[in-house]
Amino acid sequence: MLKKTIEQAFNEQMNKELASAYIYAAMAADFAVKNYNGFSRWMTAQAREEMAHAQKFYEFLLERGGRPLYDTLEKPQKSWDSVRAAFEHALRHEQFITKSIDELVNLARKEDDKAAEIFLQWFVTEQVEEEDSVETVLAKFELAGEDKRGLYLLDKELGSRE
Ligand code: FEO
């Protein structure tokens, strides 16, 4: 039987994952209207990943006899001053999500919910990858520069993300 504390915390995380998708979809739209189609494609893929993360929580809740509950999502920012500013925002956001996952692990341990703890291990590993992929893009800004040519090259490179 799923404890109420875990059910509530997992629901909050499901909604945070959906909010992440919303933020990245808004970034993708902002990039698209500015003709950065590669950056837009990268963020669209990121938004889809977040939807898949939310779905994992949804399925876990149902499998354990819980009730997935969709909450109101905060309106995302509409535009960013630069491509780099958007990726810096994405990194801050991923760090926030990492902290949130770590707190869930602590809760699962406190409640002695082994299944929840094992389920969360995937997210612990995933967050390492999530932060790393954004940090890699930010490092590329250092290499390519943020003049028009540098942005053009990076846009082209990031557009190859599947
Ligand atoms: Fe679902 Fe990007 O963390």
Side-chain angles (χ1 to χ4, degrees), residues 11-21 93 96-97 100:
N11 260 309
E12 282 168 12
Q13 188 64 36
M14 180 182 79
N15 283 282
K16 281 180 192 167
E17 300 292 343
L18 292 169
S20 305
H93 185 72
F96 161 73
I97 294 292
S100 181

Side-chain angles (χ1 to χ4, degrees), residues 31 36 39 42-43 82-90 133-155 157-158:
F31 292 149
Y36 292 125
F39 292 125
W42 195 97
M43 275 302 171
S82 65
V83 178
R84 186 182 187 136
F87 276 91
E88 282 169 347
H89 181 174
S133 67
V134 181
E135 279 168 349
T136 301
V137 174
L138 285 169
K140 284 177 194 227
F141 280 111
E142 297 294 331
L143 292 173
E146 282 183 85
D147 56 8
K148 281 187 179 167
R149 189 176 151 75
L151 279 175
Y152 174 77
L153 289 172
L154 266 185
D155 185 60
E157 186 185 329
L158 266 66

Side-chain angles (χ1 to χ4, degrees), residues 13 16-18 20-21 24 46 49-54 57 90 93-94 97-98 101 122-123 126-127 130-131 134:
Q13 188 64 36
K16 281 180 192 167
E17 300 292 343
L18 292 169
S20 305
Y24 298 144
Q46 192 62 31
E49 269 195 18
E50 300 301 351
M51 293 297 290
H53 293 171
F57 281 97
H93 185 72
E94 287 305 324
I97 294 292
T98 299
I101 296 287
W122 185 88
F123 281 91
E126 176 70 4
Q127 280 312 117
E130 289 279 86
E131 286 191 29
V134 181

